[in-house]
Amino acid sequence: MTTLGFLYPGHAAEDDYPTAQKMLGGGHTLRVEHTYGEDLHAIEELLDLGNPSRLAEGAGRLAAYSPAAVIWACTSGSFVYGWEGATEQAAKLAEAAGVPASSTSFAFVRATQAIGARKVAVAASYPKPVADRFVDFLAAAGIEVVRMSSHGIQTAAEVGTLPVDAVLELAAGNDHPDADAVLVPDTAMRTVALVDTIEKRIGKPVLTANQVTIWEALRLSGEPLVHSGLGTLFRAAASAGQGR
């Protein structure tokens, strides 16, 4: 049994992880430890939320479970640092955890590359100033955003209350004809069990925050990446690569 560790900010959609554990079909324990800061989708608050010292404390708690990899399961709390800052954040987390580490922002980049997507639409729950930083982060990896929708939701707690129909509409309703895939970047949104449904509706790959976070943990730990029910990404392992 391989344990994968996730540092999850606050409480919103962390039940995506036990849901995914069941969907993976056994052999993996997805261990979630919570970190805490002010729940606000605003630049300064997100910088504080992703502070490396805060993440190191969480990594210390995860150490008791001997995870094979640790992921900072927060998109906005990583991309808000920019490419270089997020790289340093992940490196410090790896040092604190003593195992390979990453963040949801890098998971999005690697997952987008794994499915061969170059142009994407972003269906963001965040206010525009925060969502714009995600666009910049993707651009630093050579990923073009052909449409970015910002829904202005101020807190993760509010995102976590979105009903299924609202999540489906946010994801499927913000596609673009030129996009190779649609990205839904908020780990506060319950999406793991909905990826296949959204893909069938729009006819193209969909990458969601908790989905790519779990994929990234599997990738870093060297575990198999092919699983059913979790979208195109989990059928695209051959092109995923093993780089860190």
Side-chain angles (χ1 to χ4, degrees):
M1 181 73 72
T2 300
T3 297
L4 304 173
F6 303 91
L7 297 177
Y8 189 93
H11 297 274
E14 64 267 34
D15 50 344
D16 257 4
Y17 290 83
T19 297
Q21 182 172 311
K22 293 177 182 177
M23 295 173 74
L24 290 174
H28 305 90
T29 298
L30 307 187
R31 178 71 194 189
V32 175
E33 285 289 325
H34 295 273
T35 65
Y36 295 96
E38 185 170 353
D39 181 13
L40 186 65
H41 287 151
I43 304 299
E44 291 303 316
E45 285 75 9
L46 290 168
L47 288 169
D48 178 67
L49 190 67
N51 187 294
S53 62
R54 189 190 304 278
L55 301 189
E57 292 176 4
R61 294 192 299 274
L62 278 173
Y65 305 97
S66 300
V70 171
I71 312 293
W72 169 221
C74 182
T75 326
S76 56
S78 47
F79 70 66
V80 73
Y81 279 82
W83 189 269
E84 291 185 4
T87 298
E88 182 179 0
Q89 180 191 59
K92 289 183 176 179
L93 178 56
E95 182 179 0
V99 297
S102 185
S103 67
T104 304
S105 292
F106 286 119
F108 266 112
V109 168
R110 290 168 187 141
T112 300
Q113 294 168 341
I115 63 172
R118 297 187 179 185
K119 297 181 179 182
V120 301
V122 173
S125 57
Y126 320 117
K128 190 174 185 299
V130 175
D132 284 342
R133 292 214 178 186
F134 186 51
V135 173
D136 293 342
F137 191 88
L138 295 172
I143 299 168
E144 181 183 351
V145 175
V146 295
R147 176 177 180 176
M148 191 277 284
S149 57
S150 170
H151 289 260
I153 301 177
Q154 295 292 327
T155 67
E158 185 180 353
V159 173
T161 66
L162 292 175
V164 169
D165 286 350
V167 173
L168 292 173
E169 180 55 34
L170 184 146
N174 290 288
D175 187 17
H176 187 281
D178 294 336
D180 301 318
V182 174
L183 278 53
V184 186
D186 197 337
T187 58
M189 194 180 302
R190 290 177 181 85
T191 57
V192 161
L194 301 176
V195 176
D196 275 359
T197 299
I198 302 167
E199 289 192 344
K200 288 176 182 177
R201 181 180 294 190
I202 67 175
K204 66 181 61 173
V206 172
L207 301 177
T208 74
N210 290 322
Q211 173 212 29
V212 301
T213 298
I214 293 160
W215 178 88
E216 178 80 335
L218 290 166
R219 188 189 70 84
L220 285 181
S221 64
E223 290 291 301
L225 297 174
V226 177
H227 299 275
S228 62
L230 288 161
T232 298
L233 176 62
F234 281 82
R235 298 190 293 271
S239 61
Q242 294 299 320
R244 293 175 181 172

